[in-house]
Structure formats: structure tokens, C-alpha cells
């Protein structure tokens, strides 16, 4: 009976790890601020108000300083954090989010699907300003070519990656359960042999 509780605890631990790995981090939030946004009631950084977690990035400005809208353009005073992996991370004004211009070299500020930003972080990203106008014209011509099918394809790829992670975790969990079951069978058979030897 005790081994069943142990298996249940292991399953719950692995399931919670799978859930935490499958959800992406908060959009537009600096990694050091993610803990700040983890509680159910979040206080505006200027201390003026509080808001519930479900009102985070809901495209309505509740805090005068933009604390509640780091990932949208609803608050003019807000800041959006560009992770820019492969280049220098930076903050941009939230008003630049989904404005049809790629401000982050990783394109994370244009997530609504109206424009598709190329990830230029590895190629120098936003540190290279020399070809800015040519990049804008390329992006504007490329934006017209993005179709709903391409956006659906990207969503499908993202969902498949999450599904792959879930399947891998389930296989590992199943192997762990089989290992524990085999270990329990061996220990019971050793106890039986010990008892039989004592009786003889």
C-alpha cells in the first residue's frame, strides 16, 4: 500500500514538472520579474493599485505605470522585455508591441501574426542599424505574404513540440513505475525465501 502512495507522489511530481515546462514564460516580462507576477493578486509597481492575475496582458491598462501590460501595447508607460537570445536583451516601450515594425531582433514584439519578423539576433540583431531602412522594406513586403495557413503551421509546430515533451515525460514515468514494480517484486520474493529458509 505504501508503494502505491509513493508511485502516486512520483506521478504528481512529474506531471507538475511537465506542466511547468509546457507553458512558456510570461510575454514581455524580464526573467527576474517572473516571480513578481506569479501571485494571484499583483500590485502595480508604483503602488497605486492591485490587479488579479487574469488581468495580466488583457490589453486593458489597469496600472498607470503599465505593470499589468508588459506584453501588450495597452499602456503607453509600459516596458516590453525582448529576450533577444544570441544578442543583447533590451527593453522597448510597450507602445511598440504589434506595431508592424520588428523592434526586437528575435521578433517577439510582433506576435499577433500580422507581420512575420525574421530572427536576426545571431546575425548582429539590433546592434546593427546600418541597413535599417532596407530591413523595413523587406519586412513590409514579407508581411503581405504571410497567410493564415503559415500562422496555423507555426502553431501546429509549437503544439507538436509540447506534445513531444509530454510523451517523453510519460515514457520516463512509465519506465520508473516498471522499475519500482520490479524492485518490489524482488524484495517480496527475497522475503519469502528468507522465511522458507528459517522454517527449514
Amino acid at each position: 500500500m505504501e508503494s502505491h502512495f509513493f508511485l502516486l507522489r512520483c506521478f504528481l511530481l512529474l506531471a507538475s514538472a511537465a506542466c511547468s515546462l509546457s507553458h512558456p514564460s510570461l510575454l514581455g516580462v524580464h526573467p527576474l520579474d517572473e516571480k513578481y507576477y506569479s501571485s494571484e493578486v499583483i500590485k502595480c509597481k508604483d503602488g497605486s493599485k492591485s490587479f488579479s492575475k487574469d488581468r495580466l496582458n488583457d490589453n486593458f491598462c489597469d496600472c498607470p505605470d503599465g505593470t499589468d501590460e508588459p506584453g501588450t501595447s495597452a499602456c503607453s508607460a509600459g516596458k516590453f522585455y525582448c529576450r533577444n537570445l544570441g544578442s543583447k536583451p533590451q527593453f522597448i516601450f510597450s507602445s511598440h508591441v504589434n506595431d508592424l515594425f520588428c523592434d526586437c531582433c528575435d521578433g517577439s514584439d510582433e506576435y499577433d501574426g500580422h507581420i512575420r519578423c525574421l530572427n536576426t539576433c545571431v546575425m548582429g540583431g539590433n546592434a546593427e542599424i546600418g541597413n535599417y531602412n532596407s530591413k523595413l522594406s523587406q519586412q513590409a513586403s514579407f508581411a503581405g505574404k504571410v497567410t493564415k495557413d503559415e500562422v496555423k503551421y507555426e502553431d501546429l509546430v509549437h503544439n507538436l513540440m509540447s506534445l513531444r515533451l509530454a510523451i517523453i515525460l510519460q515514457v520516463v514515468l512509465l519506465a520508473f513505475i516498471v522499475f519500482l514494480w520490479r524492485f518490489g517484486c524482488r524484495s517480496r520474493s527475497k522475503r519469502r525465501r528468507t522465511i522458507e529458509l528459517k522454517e527449514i
Side-chain angles (χ1 to χ4, degrees), residues 3-19 166-167 169-177 180:
S3 65
H4 294 294
F5 287 117
F6 178 73
L7 290 175
L8 180 63
R9 279 187 247 144
C10 290
F11 174 74
L12 292 175
L13 177 68
L14 286 173
S16 66
C19 289
I167 289 172
L169 287 173
Q170 287 178 353
V171 168
V172 168
L173 177 64
L174 183 63
F176 183 69
I177 290 172
L180 289 177

Side-chain angles (χ1 to χ4, degrees), residues 29-48:
V29 175
H30 190 283
L32 296 176
D33 285 337
E34 287 181 359
K35 188 173 182 181
Y36 181 81
Y37 288 100
S38 64
S39 62
E40 287 301 314
V41 177
I42 304 164
K43 196 168 193 149
C44 298
K45 288 187 177 178
D46 65 1
S48 62

Side-chain angles (χ1 to χ4, degrees), residues 39-175:
S39 62
E40 287 301 314
V41 177
I42 304 164
K43 196 168 193 149
C44 298
K45 288 187 177 178
D46 65 1
S48 62
K49 295 180 181 180
S50 296
F51 60 95
S52 60
K53 190 174 186 173
D54 63 335
R55 290 170 50 190
L56 179 67
N57 284 334
D58 66 349
N59 216 14
F60 183 80
C61 192
D62 299 304
C63 296
D65 65 351
T67 304
D68 65 311
E69 298 298 320
T72 71
S73 58
C75 299
S76 60
K79 300 282 187 184
F80 181 89
Y81 179 72
C82 303
R83 292 183 188 265
N84 292 342
L85 296 178
S87 185
K88 184 180 177 186
Q90 69 177 21
F91 282 99
I92 61 170
F93 288 107
S94 292
S95 59
H96 295 182
V97 175
N98 291 325
D99 64 350
L100 301 180
F101 290 104
C102 301
D103 301 299
C104 302
C105 69
D106 62 358
S108 59
D109 63 310
E110 300 298 322
Y111 58 84
D112 66 354
H114 290 98
I115 184 173
R116 185 171 171 175
C117 299
L118 300 175
N119 187 341
T120 60
C121 290
V122 178
M123 297 180 277
N126 47 11
E128 181 183 279
I129 302 176
N131 297 331
Y132 185 71
N133 289 332
S134 64
K135 284 182 184 178
L136 286 180
S137 63
Q138 288 173 351
Q139 289 171 353
S141 65
F142 188 73
K145 297 177 185 175
V146 175
T147 63
K148 289 182 180 180
D149 291 335
E150 290 175 3
V151 173
K152 288 179 185 177
Y153 175 74
E154 288 177 5
D155 289 340
L156 180 63
V157 169
H158 178 70
N159 290 341
L160 286 175
M161 295 300 287
S162 298
L163 181 63
R164 187 176 118 195
L165 177 66
I167 289 172
I168 290 170
L169 287 173
Q170 287 178 353
V171 168
V172 168
L173 177 64
L174 183 63

